[in-house]
Amino acid sequence: IFFMADDSISATSSSSFDTHPDQWDVERLRKELKKCTENRDQLLHATTQMQGAVGNLERMVQDIPNEDSVWRDRYLQQHSQNQQLEADLKQLERKLAELKSQQAGDNLEMLQAYDGMSDVSLRQLLRQLEKEKVDLEWQLKDSEWRLDQEATAVHKSEEEKKAILTELGQASLELEKCKRKSHSPKFS
C-alpha cells in the first residue's frame, strides 16, 4: 500500500510538473534568451556596418584637407596675381597722368624729358599706354571674378567638410552606443 501511494504521488507530481509555473518560467527564459541572442547578433551586424561606414567617412575626411590645400593654394596664387596687376595698373595710371599733364602743358619739366620726341610719337605713346591700361583693367576684373569663384569653391568645400565631420561624429556616437549595447550584461 505504501508503494502504491508513493507511486501515485510521484505520478501526480510528474504530471503536475508539466503544467507547473516553474516550467513556464523556463520556457519564457528560453524565449527571452533566444530574443536577446538575436538582438545581440543584430547589434553585432549593425556594429560591423557602422565600423565600415566610419572607416569610409574617415577616408573621405582624410581626402578633404588635400582638396582644401589645392583650393587654398589657387586662392593665394590668384590673390598674389591680383595684387601685382593692381600695382601695375597704378604705375600705368601714374604714367598716363604724367603724359596727360605733359600734353596739357601743366608740367614743363616733364615736357623737357620728352623734348626729343615729336608730338605724333608722344600721342602714340599716350594711346599705347591707354590701351595697356584698359587691358590691365580687364585682366584685373577677370582675376577678381576668378578669385570670387575660387573663394566660393573654398567656402563650399569647407561646408562639405563640416557636414562630413558632423556625419562622422554621429556615426562614431552610434558605433559607441552599439558597442555598449553589445557588451552590456543583458546579452551575455
Side-chain angles (χ1 to χ4, degrees):
I1 298 175
F2 188 77
F3 281 117
M4 286 175 140
D6 213 334
D7 284 339
S8 66
I9 290 173
S10 68
T12 307
S13 65
S14 74
S15 67
S16 67
F17 180 73
D18 291 337
T19 58
H20 192 271
D22 289 339
Q23 179 67 24
W24 297 335
D25 287 341
V26 171
E27 286 300 316
R28 184 182 54 80
L29 290 174
R30 282 186 183 149
K31 287 180 183 178
E32 276 188 43
L33 180 62
K34 183 179 177 183
K35 185 176 180 180
C36 287
T37 304
E38 289 172 357
N39 286 342
R40 185 195 67 206
D41 292 342
Q42 289 175 352
L43 284 173
L44 289 175
H45 180 70
T47 301
T48 304
Q49 286 181 333
M50 287 285 215
Q51 286 172 337
V54 167
N56 288 338
L57 289 172
E58 286 174 345
R59 282 190 294 279
M60 288 174 67
V61 166
Q62 289 172 354
D63 291 341
I64 287 175
N66 294 337
E67 187 176 307
D68 281 348
S69 67
V70 169
W71 284 109
R72 189 176 10 263
D73 291 344
R74 287 183 183 175
Y75 170 82
L76 293 174
Q77 182 182 15
Q78 189 65 48
H79 186 68
S80 174
Q81 287 177 352
N82 287 354
Q83 287 178 336
Q84 181 62 41
L85 287 173
E86 286 174 357
D88 291 346
L89 182 61
K90 287 179 183 178
Q91 181 181 7
L92 287 174
E93 285 175 344
R94 280 190 301 248
K95 285 182 181 179
L96 182 62
E98 290 172 1
L99 287 175
K100 284 182 179 180
S101 67
Q102 283 178 352
Q103 190 177 18
D106 292 341
N107 194 342
L108 291 176
E109 292 175 12
M110 293 302 286
L111 282 176
Q112 291 173 355
Y114 295 106
D115 198 24
M117 295 178 74
S118 68
D119 286 344
V120 172
S121 56
L122 284 174
R123 286 187 186 125
Q124 287 176 345
L125 180 61
L126 180 62
R127 280 189 226 119
Q128 178 186 353
L129 290 174
E130 286 176 344
K131 182 180 177 188
E132 287 178 16
K133 176 188 170 193
V134 169
D135 289 344
L136 287 173
E137 285 173 342
W138 278 108
Q139 286 179 6
L140 179 62
K141 287 179 183 180
D142 184 54
S143 297
E144 287 173 346
W145 179 81
R146 284 188 203 150
L147 184 62
D148 287 341
Q149 295 298 313
E150 289 183 12
T152 301
V154 166
H155 180 69
K156 181 180 176 184
S157 164
E158 288 172 357
E159 291 298 320
E160 289 173 357
K161 179 181 178 180
K162 286 178 186 177
I164 288 173
L165 288 174
T166 301
E167 189 175 330
L168 180 61
Q170 289 174 349
S172 294
L173 288 174
E174 288 295 321
L175 182 62
E176 286 299 317
K177 286 180 186 178
C178 289
K179 283 181 180 178
R180 277 190 234 127
K181 285 182 181 179
S182 67
H183 294 301
S184 69
K186 287 183 181 178
F187 302 111
S188 298

